[in-house]
Amino acid sequence: LGAEDYALVGMGLLAEGMVAEARFGFEESLERDGDQVDALAGLIGVLRVSDERERAEELARRLSGVAGSEARGEVLLGLIREELRD
């Protein structure tokens, strides 16, 4: 399977509430393509609910550097930074 395939699997698993399995899918996707947008966004979401906001912040910075996903990354980065302040 390729990066996009693993990202799609991760999104499907997350929709079913299978967070740990979804995380595996997103991480596998990023192993194959570190800039896979859906995997980055999905893993950021998983990390935010898992109280791993520092890593989520790092990935949001990476997402904001991917062409066409700058705004998405910046919005997520702002949300994470707000959560870190609380």
Side-chain angles (χ1 to χ4, degrees), residues 17 40 52 54 57 75-76 81 84:
L40 283 167
E52 295 180 62
E54 289 81 14
E57 181 180 26
V75 167
L76 288 170
R81 287 181 175 162
L84 286 170

Side-chain angles (χ1 to χ4, degrees), residues 57-74:
E57 181 180 26
E58 171 189 322
L59 294 178
R61 276 195 302 271
R62 185 189 314 173
L63 181 60
S64 68
V66 176
S69 297
E70 298 92 347
R72 187 178 187 184
E74 289 296 326

Side-chain angles (χ1 to χ4, degrees), residues 25-80:
F26 296 138
E27 288 178 343
E28 283 296 311
S29 175
L30 294 172
E31 287 279 323
R32 287 157 176 75
D33 177 0
D35 290 334
Q36 212 298 328
V37 172
D38 293 324
L40 283 167
L43 186 53
I44 289 166
V46 167
L47 294 170
R48 286 177 67 200
V49 300
S50 301
D51 282 334
E52 295 180 62
R53 289 184 181 89
E54 289 81 14
R55 179 148 183 244
E57 181 180 26
E58 171 189 322
L59 294 178
R61 276 195 302 271
R62 185 189 314 173
L63 181 60
S64 68
V66 176
S69 297
E70 298 92 347
R72 187 178 187 184
E74 289 296 326
V75 167
L76 288 170
L77 189 56
L79 291 171
I80 294 162

